[in-house]
Amino acid sequence: MNNALFKFQKPCNEPVKGYAPGSEEKAELKKALHRLASEKWEIPLVIGGREVRTGDTGEVVMPHDHRHVLATYHKAGEKEVRMAIEAAMKAHREWARMPWVERASILQRAAELIATKYRYLVNASVMLGQSKNPFQAEIDAPCELVDFLRFNNFFAGDIYADQPCSEKGVINRMEYRPLEGFVFALTPFNFTAIASNLNMSPVLMGNTTIWKPSTTALYSNYLVMQIFREAGLPDGVVNFVPGQGSLMGKVITASPDLGGFHFTGSTATFNYLWGQIGANLAGYKSYPRIVGETGGKDFIFVHPSSPTTEVAAAIVRGAFEYQGQKCSAASRAYIPKSLWGSIRSEIGDMLREVKMGDVRDFTNLVNAVIDEPSFDNIMANIEYAKHSSDAEVVFGGRGDKSVGYFIEPTVIVTTDPKFKTMVEELFGPVITVFVYDDAKYEETLDLCDASSPYALTGSIFARDRAAITTAMERLRYAAGNFYINDKPTGAVVSQQPFGGSRASGTNDKAGSALNLIRWTNVRAIKETLVPPTDFRYPFLGEK
Ligand SMILES: NC(=O)c1ccc[n+]([C@@H]2O[C@H](COP(=O)([O-])OP(=O)(O)OC[C@H]3O[C@@H](n4cnc5c(N)ncnc54)[C@H](O)[C@@H]3O)[C@@H](O)[C@H]2O)c1
Ligand SMILES: N[C@@H](CCC=O)C(=O)O
């Protein structure tokens, strides 16, 4: 069923369009933005290929213009979640039997549709629904989403081709079965590519999913779901079920058919769901596979040998692009006393050029944070820093939610390396700096390693190679994605497989074969060509 007679060619990463003034692509994107902003969608559930409307509705708004309603959506109740489980289990039989190349061909077509026919619409839906500037939307969906689909097809060929040795007279095989049961894909707001991949990597390996999208990413996620259907994804392979996460989690984790849980989001949500799965363990047919990529407290560590302008640029890009709402965003920096004065003034010069506002104005680099609870939480942390004797807000610090959820790029400096905003994840445009004594480089590396529970991304800036080697050693487990002389964001599928450990997740590296392998349940098959007829072994011949 899953033989590997065919292998997809190694793809190239989808080229990122620049949307420069006067370009054709900019005109196309503006058209798509205009079209979407003048429509209002109704988003149903999609269960077993059928659109389901519950009448229990909510609204999707633009974060940068929150009076503008982009869509109303229907919320699932317990009944719809059960219907989705049934639909996923029904579709599992045929989908698992379909040869993997046929499954992959559907996903390849989805990638092509997104890279061509729907490129600008997908980008515009991410810009408007999740408040990303054109470039930030472009690197998410279309580009990363398409890369996940194409590269996973390529990696799957290697997995299916990996077969055991067969001695003379025997045929040994490995059958890469999908999991026995459905996969629950619980997806975050900040990357449409990740939301898609949390479904499509299990789907490629023959699984079916229940997709609980984040309400604040529903707009682009629904468009992508429609494109999957247009690409030929059979009914019930992905069941799109928006609604209240806690209700859905309760019903799904109680199902004996839960085969896997594929998650990206906060550490707190992941821990909660893992706890629910643990509590229901006795009831499952198989141990559910659990893969989760979670929060981060990502760092930039600067050695005294670093050029200051490179560091300042990495801080501005790494901390403030997409308003710091990347799991990889730089949110703490360790800077030597000898360099802080220059770096501080260069950050100031750069921030004076940064404009903030609506995504439809292409001169804005920074847009809105995702919603009101997030705005309130980030502002509360900034206020905490303003009133603390251990910290000072040196840039930004103001927010305004009257039109959209806008927060200025904010830099806090603290004298306490364990200050609240140095150790806790804060999902917004805020970075906290700890200025260390140049002589205490190694000691401060140890502080960086031990003071936060997360281990997702981090970077070291230095010209001195020995200092880099020391940082690599001391920070061995402090980051699953480690950068040298670069910002800690912007991992690209197939180039920097992504994920972290400790409180940042199971580190199953999205965008690599390591992730795909988690969605298989291998059956090892031995066939003996001419079975023996004598039970005796030669040693039995003599005392
Ligand atoms: N490590 C990574 O690769 C990675 C990538 C992207 C985002 N993230 C993390 O994601 C977080 C931001 O995303 P978010 O705000 O969407 O995360 P979140 O945990 O709030 O939500 C993720 C999903 O879980 C659902 N959910 C929330 N509480 C639930 C509950 N009690 N039961 C069931 N479902 C529940 C949400 O509705 C959403 O669909 C940050 O912590 C960020 O670091 C990590
Ligand atoms: N792949 C993205 C991280 C996604 C998390 O939100 C990056 O590396 O910046």
Side-chain angles (χ1 to χ4, degrees), residues 168-191:
K168 197 167 167 290
V170 164
I171 301 173
N172 291 322
R173 296 182 269 156
M174 293 217 282
E175 182 192 353
Y176 292 90
R177 302 172 300 185
L179 306 181
E180 193 180 13
F182 68 89
V183 172
F184 179 30
L186 185 55
T187 69
F189 81 82
N190 67 337
F191 272 81

Side-chain angles (χ1 to χ4, degrees), residues 81-91 93 210:
V81 183
R82 292 191 200 290
M83 280 165 55
I85 295 176
E86 206 176 299
M89 290 308 293
K90 186 166 168 231
R93 280 187 283 274
I210 295 175

Side-chain angles (χ1 to χ4, degrees), residues 337-382:
K337 232 178 228 154
S338 60
L339 301 186
W340 174 232
S342 311
I343 292 173
R344 176 178 169 160
S345 101
E346 290 181 74
I347 292 175
D349 292 344
M350 291 177 193
L351 287 181
R352 267 186 287 284
E353 282 186 42
V354 169
K355 277 185 65 195
M356 177 167 73
D358 195 305
V359 297
R360 289 164 290 185
D361 174 349
F362 284 21
T363 62
N364 291 324
L365 181 80
V366 172
N367 312 111
V369 300
I370 195 68
D371 59 11
E372 190 167 19
S374 181
F375 176 93
D376 291 345
N377 177 44
I378 298 162
M379 288 310 298
N381 275 273
I382 294 174

Side-chain angles (χ1 to χ4, degrees), residues 144 190-191 194 325-328 483 488-491 498:
E144 189 177 29
N190 67 337
F191 272 81
I194 294 177
Q325 298 170 118
K326 301 186 184 190
C327 55
S328 53
Y483 296 82
T489 61
F498 193 77

Side-chain angles (χ1 to χ4, degrees), residues 41-58 72-85 87 210-213 218 221-222 225-226 229 235-236 238-244 247-248 252:
W41 294 355
E42 186 195 10
I43 301 181
L45 288 63
V46 183
I47 300 177
R50 212 162 53 80
E51 295 190 351
V52 177
R53 290 172 175 77
T54 60
D56 177 11
T57 57
T72 55
Y73 72 98
H74 291 258
K75 299 180 192 172
E78 215 172 303
K79 181 176 131 208
E80 290 75 27
V81 183
R82 292 191 200 290
M83 280 165 55
I85 295 176
I210 295 175
W211 179 3
K212 198 318 246 171
L218 210 44
N221 288 192
Y222 179 59
M225 178 70 200
Q226 287 175 301
R229 296 174 78 196
D235 294 345
V238 173
N239 298 280
F240 184 78
V241 192
Q244 197 191 327
L247 171 114
M248 218 162 288
I252 286 177

Side-chain angles (χ1 to χ4, degrees), residues 184-191 194 212-216 243-250 261 263-270 272-273 276 292-296 298 325-328 370 425 427 454 456 498-500 504-505 510:
F184 179 30
L186 185 55
T187 69
F189 81 82
N190 67 337
F191 272 81
I194 294 177
K212 198 318 246 171
S214 169
T215 305
T216 41
Q244 197 191 327
S246 52
L247 171 114
M248 218 162 288
K250 193 168 139 245
F261 176 42
F263 176 78
T264 296
S266 65
T267 305
T269 306
F270 187 51
Y272 179 72
L273 268 292
Q276 282 194 320
E293 298 306 333
T294 60
D298 312 299
Q325 298 170 118
K326 301 186 184 190
C327 55
S328 53
I370 195 68
E425 182 178 54
F427 219 51
Y454 298 101
L456 189 53
F498 193 77
S504 292

Side-chain angles (χ1 to χ4, degrees), residues 59-301:
E59 287 182 337
V60 178
V61 301
M62 294 185 192
H64 43 271
D65 180 6
H66 48 60
R67 269 173 296 224
H68 190 128
V69 177
L70 288 165
T72 55
Y73 72 98
H74 291 258
K75 299 180 192 172
E78 215 172 303
K79 181 176 131 208
E80 290 75 27
V81 183
R82 292 191 200 290
M83 280 165 55
I85 295 176
E86 206 176 299
M89 290 308 293
K90 186 166 168 231
H92 187 278
R93 280 187 283 274
E94 286 308 311
W95 187 245
R97 270 193 209 116
M98 188 184 278
W100 81 268
V101 174
E102 309 304 326
R103 295 196 301 257
S105 301
I106 295 171
L107 307 195
Q108 196 80 2
R109 178 167 148 75
E112 206 57 27
L113 286 170
I114 291 167
T116 57
K117 181 175 171 188
Y118 291 109
R119 186 180 195 104
Y120 301 110
L121 215 53
V122 167
N123 182 317
S125 72
V126 174
M127 286 178 69
L128 295 178
Q130 286 137 277
S131 204
K132 295 197 180 193
N133 70 34
F135 179 77
Q136 291 301 318
E138 177 78 3
I139 60 170
D140 170 8
C143 292
E144 189 177 29
L145 193 159
V146 163
D147 284 348
F148 273 131
L149 290 169
R150 291 183 180 147
F151 276 98
N152 281 344
N153 283 352
F154 171 70
F155 299 137
D158 289 335
I159 291 176
Y160 289 122
D162 185 18
Q163 293 294 331
C165 299
S166 296
E167 284 183 344
K168 197 167 167 290
V170 164
I171 301 173
N172 291 322
R173 296 182 269 156
M174 293 217 282
E175 182 192 353
Y176 292 90
R177 302 172 300 185
L179 306 181
E180 193 180 13
F182 68 89
V183 172
F184 179 30
L186 185 55
T187 69
F189 81 82
N190 67 337
F191 272 81
T192 300
I194 294 177
S196 162
N197 188 54
L198 291 175
N199 288 280
M200 288 318 191
S201 59
V203 159
L204 171 62
M205 305 313 283
N207 299 279
T208 56
T209 68
I210 295 175
W211 179 3
K212 198 318 246 171
S214 169
T215 305
T216 41
L218 210 44
Y219 193 63
S220 64
N221 288 192
Y222 179 59
L223 176 59
V224 166
M225 178 70 200
Q226 287 175 301
I227 298 170
F228 291 152
R229 296 174 78 196
E230 181 175 330
L233 196 71
D235 294 345
V237 171
V238 173
N239 298 280
F240 184 78
V241 192
Q244 197 191 327
S246 52
L247 171 114
M248 218 162 288
K250 193 168 139 245
V251 179
I252 286 177
T253 56
S255 167
D257 290 313
L258 179 68
F261 176 42
H262 203 189
F263 176 78
T264 296
S266 65
T267 305
T269 306
F270 187 51
N271 290 353
Y272 179 72
L273 268 292
W274 191 312
Q276 282 194 320
I277 292 171
N280 290 328
L281 209 53
Y284 299 125
K285 287 184 186 148
S286 304
Y287 289 105
R289 288 282 164 88
I290 301 178
V291 173
E293 298 306 333
T294 60
K297 190 71 200 171
D298 312 299
F299 57 85
I300 292 180
F301 203 108

